[in-house]
């Protein structure tokens, strides 16, 4: 799957003088030529059990075994494990919890994971965090959940 629309500097909130681990900086935008998946965080992602399972459409691009996982956001990295060798592939819950806590993730925030490297030895993902700064109308939430996964169903802003 290729990126239907590359996030631009305005969407990412890029300020040329602000690069760092807060997600606001040059590294916050996707390359546009790699596979990716997105997750709108729910309560179970950010509180016990801190579990993040992979969307089914990305599974063919991810390792089918348990491997070291490196999450990169801004200028920081987190190392944990990707548990790909079972019927419900997921991030190791303890490592994911550390990422959630370190980035102050909240319910309704969105994470976009871009697959930078995927092999039987390692999975490297760059992460863009989009903060939930407003309550969206239910009609827009429904549109977001049913569209935007492919170029044919891209949401134009």
């Amino acid at each position: 799957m290729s990126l239907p629309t590359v996030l631009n500097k305005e969407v990412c909130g890029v300020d040329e003088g602000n690069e760092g681990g807060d997600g606001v900086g040059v590294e916050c935008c996707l390359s546009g030529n790699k596979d990716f998946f997105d997750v709108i965080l729910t309560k179970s992602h950010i509180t016990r059990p801190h579990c993040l399972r992979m969307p089914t459409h990305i599974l063919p691009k991810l390792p089918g075994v348990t491997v070291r996982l490196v999450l990169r956001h801004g200028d920081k990295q987190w190392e944990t494990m990707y548990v790909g060798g079972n019927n419900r592939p997921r991030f190791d819950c303890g490592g994911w919890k550390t990422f959630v806590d370190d980035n102050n993730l909240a319910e309704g925030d969105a994470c976009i994971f871009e697959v930078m490297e995927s092999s039987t030895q390692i999975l490297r993902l760059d992460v863009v965090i989009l903060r939930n700064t407003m309550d969206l109308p239910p009609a827009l939430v429904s549109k977001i959940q049913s569209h935007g996964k492919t170029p044919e169903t891209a949401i134009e802003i």
Side-chain angles (χ1 to χ4, degrees):
M1 171 182 287
S2 63
L3 183 63
T5 305
V6 177
L7 297 176
N8 63 31
K9 289 182 179 183
E10 181 179 310
V11 171
C12 290
V14 171
D15 173 353
E16 296 300 329
N18 181 9
E19 295 181 29
D22 62 356
V24 180
V26 175
E27 291 89 6
C28 99
C29 293
L30 301 174
S31 71
N33 60 0
K34 306 257 187 210
D35 293 301
F36 73 97
F37 63 96
D38 57 272
V39 177
I40 297 175
L41 301 178
T42 64
K43 188 174 181 177
S44 67
H45 295 128
I46 60 164
T47 61
R48 203 172 190 104
H50 292 95
C51 194
L52 182 63
R53 298 193 191 287
M54 305 302 100
T56 55
H57 73 86
I58 197 69
L59 292 178
K61 305 294 183 178
L62 302 180
V65 296
T66 298
V67 297
R68 186 168 63 108
L69 168 65
V70 178
L71 298 171
R72 185 179 72 157
H73 174 63
D75 60 358
K76 297 182 182 176
Q77 292 192 150
W78 291 260
E79 289 195 27
T80 184
M81 298 300 288
Y82 169 71
V83 183
N86 65 24
N87 62 351
R88 298 183 74 185
R90 61 179 172 78
F91 292 170
D92 171 74
C93 297
W96 171 245
K97 179 187 184 310
T98 301
F99 182 83
V100 166
D101 292 346
D102 287 355
N103 289 288
N104 299 309
L105 296 178
E107 189 172 357
D109 288 349
C111 290
I112 304 170
F113 300 89
E114 187 171 22
V115 181
M116 305 310 289
E117 182 179 351
S118 178
S119 72
T120 56
Q121 272 71 54
I122 192 167
L123 177 59
R124 290 183 191 276
L125 302 173
D126 281 1
V127 186
V128 175
I129 297 172
L130 302 173
R131 303 289 178 183
N132 179 16
T133 59
M134 67 182 102
D135 290 325
L136 298 175
L140 182 55
V141 171
S142 173
K143 187 173 185 178
I144 290 169
Q145 291 172 343
S146 64
H147 291 80
K149 298 291 184 188
T150 67
E152 293 78 26
T153 61
I155 300 170
E156 294 188 33
I157 300 175

